[in-house]
């Protein structure tokens, strides 16, 4: 059994154990071993990605679950992998090309894709190596990639099946167009956020009419008026009935417009007149379809104005906006400009403002796929945690729109649709077609577009097990059990996976969806590696920096301890309330000291145990002599069972922070602070039988605690499992069974009962009260005498048996038990559940000097209380201060009142 170093070095431990786990195939899965399966598929990070705090949180959650289930005896598999991330990866490679003075068009499609594959091979494993550093126990032999041959075959099979069922179609519709990435986006990829814009009120002249007869319309995008082909009014709006016989003309270009009547127009909004631009607005497009209006596209793919924009051709869309507004004003056609806050779509990748644009694209009909996916959630076959996400999911599914799946980029799964130039035949093919199946002509071409990245990701739960090939492996591990992910991709990914699983597997892809919170800074902003607006720095914390400064265990434990079910996680980055960054504070990662200190505490407890003697051979289920067991022994044995039950229950309910806090409280406070401290009497005494008994209890409890802690702190627990000699039957702690709590009857032979447990809790309260009395009178470092006046004969007998323990833990000189104790004069005292504890102070303090000290403190506290009360009585402060500021002041007032009351009592006691 190796002796633990005095200095705890987590980095050496973590490097050593992960290499051994991987070499020994500890994380490998095998369906032939049978048993009950438990499977998780990792939300595949982008192949371009590096570990961020959201990854760290989500993958720690998954690792806790998989390690826990592995210890419970399940046949577990955690499938890792990465996503090809079409737009993101292509953007990175194109950026590198620009540095060389090249574009993708200079290389051509084939050569460009070679460059992307080279990039992937060079950088694609970065994040998977970082996941190893985090401690993720994935089955790396199963590592998947969405562009691998097997997964590409699955994508092609799915496309062809949907195409053959007429669930995939191509159409000319208004889509979200990214002028930065030069591709279409799905509705979910267009992220809307509030922006301060302008409402431009523009005068449209009527042919042969006067200025007074002009029509006033309002728009937030005046550059699109160049594509107007109509003016719309509500058919029941009598104000504009006369327009039916009129012909409005387009400002600047002079094109004649058609007046249409449509119920879409709200008479109460704006002027009640709407300009119709079918090629640049989804609602206008639908109106245009209903009234056979022509569609005029006025923009190029890069957001510049095209030849249909007349004098503005070649200008950037936002430059055109400025110029056209100036021209309208010069011609007297700009009536007014108002400030207007509205929601503006942005590309989820490059954050460019999205342009609604008429474009031929490929779509999936979603309504037929959505119905079964709605049913399985309503029936409870899939449950969301927290449950509130059910409503979000169902609302989106009930109103689902067709999915735009084509992207105008080169990196990705090329759409497997072919066209024959000879006979105009179109078909989808599972292989790369060489000739037309209809006329046998070789004059064929494949569609140029690629599929949305999410089209491969929605197949992830079964494509990673080899589908469309049938296998025993897939039959055993599918459907998976738990999906842990972020709420922001519930539509991108979660909902689509449910639909795909039901459509292609005939079964749900998972039964539980745990949606963790978002990692935010102390000001509540989502952490991002992108610079903050107007700043050169971001608000993120690099998890690898935390691992380097502290350890992976520290990072994992802290994140889990802060992760309340479904709530966001707030971390201290180093910002003050005004948003200013303290770089020094940023580098300290203060929050993660929790995990660091906890690991050190456990390490030191293990070292102390090693110094007391060899690990008993029967530590797993020790033979204990009840007559030798103290109440503290029985208490820790009873508390252990409560902790085992609580840990299991909290993990079952995805209450990860409660699981971590339960262990923190048990190991740090119950075991280290109380039990180890109380055990020192035995170790420093002469009773060898007592010492052996305490050592057995200590190792039994500690070995069980290490098992409970392993899922969240795998490295330090593995090291201690070996160092403490617990690895006889199970070489690795993750191969040891998850602890099972003993029931009341099984605890009886040890005398560990609820009655004893309650008594020790009361005894500890008495000790805490005595310590507080010493602290109140500046006697914490001194050994003093106490007198305890028990409130019952039972309490007196129990305390009499435990007196040596109480003396040691109170660091007292002498403790007297006296049921009839009545002091001659006032002494500091306090009431506890076991009776009164009194601390005579004669000869220990100068009463007059102590009263003077207390009065000074009382005056200071009273002054602070008066200031706080005055602030809270100020109506202006209460009316205008932020709610959290007011709450803090109220909490401060409460604390100050309690302190004033206590100081008055202390002064009163010494003055009597």
């Amino acid at each position: 059994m190796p002796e633990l170093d005095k200095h705890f070095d987590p980095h050496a431990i973590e490097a050593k154990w992960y290499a051994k786990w991987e070499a020994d195939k500890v994380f490998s899965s095998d369906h032939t071993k049978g048993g009950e399966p438990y499977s998780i598929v990792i939300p595949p990070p982008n192949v371009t990605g590096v570990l961020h705090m959201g990854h760290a949180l989500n993958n720690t959650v998954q690792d806790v679950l998989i390690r826990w289930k592995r210890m419970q005896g399940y046949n577990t598999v955690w499938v890792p992998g990465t996503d090809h991330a079409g737009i993101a990866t292509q953007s990175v490679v194109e950026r590198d090309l620009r540095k060389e003075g090249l574009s993708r068009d200079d290389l051509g499609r084939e050569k460009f894709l070679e460059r992307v594959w080279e990039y992937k091979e060079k950088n694609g494993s970065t994040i998977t190596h970082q996941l190893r550093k985090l401690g993720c126990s994935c089955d790396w032999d199963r590592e998947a990639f969405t562009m691998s041959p097997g997964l590409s075959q699955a994508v092609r099979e799915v496309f062809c099946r949907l195409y053959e069922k007429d669930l995939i179609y191509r159409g000319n519709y208004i889509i979200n167009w990214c002028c930065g990435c030069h591709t279409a986006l799905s509705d979910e990829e267009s992220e809307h956020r509030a922006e301060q814009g302008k409402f431009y009120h523009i005068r449209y002249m009527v042919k042969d009419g006067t200025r007074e007869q002009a029509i006033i319309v309002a728009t937030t995008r005046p550059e699109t008026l160049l594509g107007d082909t109509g003016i719309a009014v509500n058919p029941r709006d009598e104000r504009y009935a006369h327009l039916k016989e009129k012909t409005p003309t387009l400002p600047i270009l002079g094109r004649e417009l058609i007046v249409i009547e449509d119920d879409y127009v709200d008479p109460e909004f704006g002027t009640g007149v709407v300009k119709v631009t079918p090629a640049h607005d989804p609602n206008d497009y639908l109106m245009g379809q209903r009234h056979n209006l022509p569609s005029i596209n006025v923009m190029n793919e890069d957001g510049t104005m095209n030849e249909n924009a007349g004098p503005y051709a070649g200008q950037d869309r936002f430059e055109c906006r400025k110029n056209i507004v100036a021209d309208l004003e010069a011609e007297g056609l700009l009536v007014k400009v108002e400030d207007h806050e509205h929601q503006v779509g942005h590309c989820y990748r490059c954050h460019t403002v999205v342009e609604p644009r008429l474009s031929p694209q490929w779509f999936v009909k979603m309504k037929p796929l959505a119905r079964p996916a709605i049913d399985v959630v309503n029936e409870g076959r899939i449950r969301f945690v927290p449950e509130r996400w059910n409503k979000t999911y169902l609302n989106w599914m009930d109103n689902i729109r067709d999915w735009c799946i084509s992207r105008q980029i080169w990196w990705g799964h090329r759409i497997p649709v072919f066209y024959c130039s000879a006979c105009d035949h179109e078909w989808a093919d599972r292989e790369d077609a060489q000739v037309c199946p209809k006329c046998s002509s070789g004059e064929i071409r494949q569609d140029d577009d690629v599929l949305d990245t999410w089209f491969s990701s929605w197949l992830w739960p079964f494509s990673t097990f080899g589908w469309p090939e049938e296998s025993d492996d897939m039959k055993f591990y599918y459907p998976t059990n738990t999906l842990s992910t972020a709420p922001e991709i519930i539509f991108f990914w979660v909902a689509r996976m449910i639909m795909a699983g039901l459509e292609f597997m005939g079964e749900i892809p998972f039964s539980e969806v745990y949606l963790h919170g978002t990692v935010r800074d102390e000001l509540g902003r989502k952490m991002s590696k992108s610079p903050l607006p107007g700043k050169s720095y971001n608000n993120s914390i690099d998890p690898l920096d935390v691992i380097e400064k502290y350890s992976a265990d520290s990072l994992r434990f802290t994140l889990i301890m802060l992760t309340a079910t479904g709530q966001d996680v707030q971390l201290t980055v180093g910002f003050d309330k005004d948003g200013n960054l303290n770089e020094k504070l940023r580098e300290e990662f203060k929050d993660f000291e929790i995990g660091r200190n906890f690991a050190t505490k456990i390490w030191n407890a293990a070292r102390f145990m090693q110094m007391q003697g060899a690990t008993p051979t029967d530590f797993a289920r020790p033979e204990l002599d009840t007559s030798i067991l103290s109440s503290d022994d029985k208490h820790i044995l009873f508390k252990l069972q409560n902790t085992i039950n609580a840990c299991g229950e909290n993990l079952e309910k995805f209450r990860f922070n409660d699981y971590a806090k339960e262990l923190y409280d048990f190991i740090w406070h119950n075991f280290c602070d109380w039990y180890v401290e109380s055990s020192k009497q035995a170790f420093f005494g002469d009773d060898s039988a007592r010492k052996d008994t305490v050592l057995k209890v200590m190792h039994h409890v500690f070995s069980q605690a290490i098992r409970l802690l392993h899922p969240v702190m795998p490295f330090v627990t593995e090291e201690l499992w070996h160092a403490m000699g617990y690895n006889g039957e199970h070489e690795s702690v993750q191969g040891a069974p998850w602890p099972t709590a003993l029931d009341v009857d099984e605890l009886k032979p040890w005398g560990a009962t609820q009655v004893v447990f309650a008594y020790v809790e009361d005894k500890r309260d008495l000790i805490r009260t005595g310590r507080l009395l010493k602290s109140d009178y500046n006697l914490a470092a001194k050994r003093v005498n106490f007198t305890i006046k028990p409130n019952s004969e039972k309490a007196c007998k129990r305390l009499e048996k435990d007196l040596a323990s109480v003396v040691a833990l109170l660091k007292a000189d002498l403790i007297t038990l006296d049921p009839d104790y009545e002091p001659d004069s006032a002494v500091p005292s306090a009431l506890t559940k076991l009776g009164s504890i009194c601390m005579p102070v004669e000869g220990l303090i100068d009463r007059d000097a102590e009263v003077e000290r207390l009065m000074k403190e009382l005056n200071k506290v009273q002054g602070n209380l008066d200031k706080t009360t005055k602030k809270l009585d100020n109506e202006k402060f209460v009316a205008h201060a932020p709610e959290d500021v007011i709450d803090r002041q109220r909490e401060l007032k409460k604390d100050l009142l309690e302190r004033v009351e206590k100081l008055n009592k202390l002064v009163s006691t010494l003055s009597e």
Side-chain angles (χ1 to χ4, degrees), residues 237-477:
D237 193 341
E238 295 180 0
R239 292 175 298 169
Y240 300 112
H242 67 284
L243 288 181
K244 297 175 188 177
E245 309 301 326
K246 303 294 182 181
T247 303
T249 58
L250 184 65
I252 308 295
L253 297 184
R255 183 167 60 241
E256 293 186 356
L257 304 177
I258 301 169
V259 176
I260 63 171
E261 294 180 316
D262 197 284
D263 286 327
Y264 167 75
V265 180
D266 181 0
E268 303 299 321
F269 183 75
T271 62
V273 182
V274 174
K275 72 184 197 68
V276 185
T277 320
H280 291 280
D281 183 274
N283 295 310
D284 290 7
Y285 172 77
L286 294 174
M287 277 198 290
Q289 290 289 295
R290 289 194 290 271
H291 299 278
N292 297 313
L293 294 181
S295 296
I296 301 175
N297 187 348
V298 297
M299 287 188 202
N300 296 311
E301 293 182 356
D302 61 357
T304 58
M305 308 307 289
N306 65 21
E307 67 280 1
N308 293 326
Y312 308 100
Q315 295 182 10
D316 175 78
R317 53 185 166 153
F318 297 118
E319 180 189 4
C320 174
R321 180 180 298 180
K322 291 180 184 177
N323 292 335
I324 203 169
V325 167
D327 291 343
L328 288 168
E329 187 171 21
E331 293 186 20
L333 300 178
L334 184 66
V335 179
K336 63 178 178 177
V337 180
E338 297 175 320
D339 289 335
H340 177 65
E341 185 179 279
H342 59 146
Q343 294 291 319
V344 179
H346 292 74
C347 173
Y348 79 118
R349 279 297 169 201
C350 71
H351 309 297
T352 300
V353 172
V354 166
E355 194 66 44
R357 187 170 184 264
L358 187 62
S359 175
Q361 301 290 338
W362 288 94
F363 297 85
V364 177
K365 295 178 184 176
M366 301 303 284
K367 286 285 186 184
L369 301 175
R371 188 70 258 164
I374 291 171
D375 292 341
V376 294
V377 171
N378 280 329
E379 294 163 5
R381 291 173 60 196
I382 293 178
R383 73 182 186 102
F384 286 88
V385 180
E387 191 177 351
R388 67 175 184 270
W389 289 107
N390 277 26
K391 184 177 179 180
T392 304
Y393 168 87
L394 292 170
N395 183 61
W396 185 76
M397 294 292 279
D398 285 336
N399 297 283
I400 198 166
R401 296 170 61 180
D402 287 354
W403 174 16
C404 177
I405 57 170
S406 47
R407 299 291 179 269
Q408 288 65 51
I409 57 176
W410 289 348
W411 172 245
H413 298 98
R414 194 167 175 180
I415 290 178
V417 170
F418 296 82
Y419 307 96
C420 177
S421 301
C423 70
D424 293 331
H425 181 50
E426 173 192 303
W427 74 101
D429 208 313
R430 289 166 175 79
E431 306 293 336
D432 287 340
Q434 303 301 315
V435 296
C436 173
K438 186 174 181 181
C439 72
S440 300
S441 171
E443 296 180 25
I444 62 173
R445 66 175 182 85
Q446 186 174 355
D447 198 286
D448 285 328
D449 290 350
V450 301
L451 289 163
D452 179 8
T453 294
W454 298 99
F455 196 89
S456 51
S457 301
W458 76 323
L459 316 178
W460 190 252
F462 51 89
S463 64
T464 50
F465 289 111
W467 189 91
E469 299 299 322
E470 290 283 340
S471 70
D472 291 336
D473 191 62
M474 184 170 64
K475 290 176 183 175
F476 185 77
Y477 288 119

Side-chain angles (χ1 to χ4, degrees), residues 12 44 111 143 149 153 281 299 336-337 376 383 466 474 498 596 599 779 820 839 867 871:
K111 290 293 184 184
E143 186 174 349
Q153 181 189 1
D281 183 274
M299 287 188 202
K336 63 178 178 177
V337 180
V376 294
R383 73 182 186 102
M474 184 170 64
I498 295 172
R596 188 273 311 273
L779 296 171
D820 302 316
M839 184 182 70
K867 287 180 185 177
K871 187 180 287 187

Side-chain angles (χ1 to χ4, degrees), residues 199-215:
F199 227 164
Y200 302 90
H201 293 255
I202 301 168
R203 181 178 285 114
Y204 281 56
M205 299 301 292
V206 176
K207 186 178 179 181
D208 299 328
T210 65
R211 180 173 290 270
E212 288 71 26
Q213 293 174 314
I215 304 164

Side-chain angles (χ1 to χ4, degrees), residues 72 144-145 253 305 402 491 498 539 554 684 722 744 750 871 895:
Q72 284 188 316
F145 177 53
L253 297 184
M305 308 307 289
D402 287 354
F491 310 132
I498 295 172
N539 71 333
S554 301
F684 301 156
H722 288 258
V744 175
W750 292 342
K871 187 180 287 187
D895 293 341

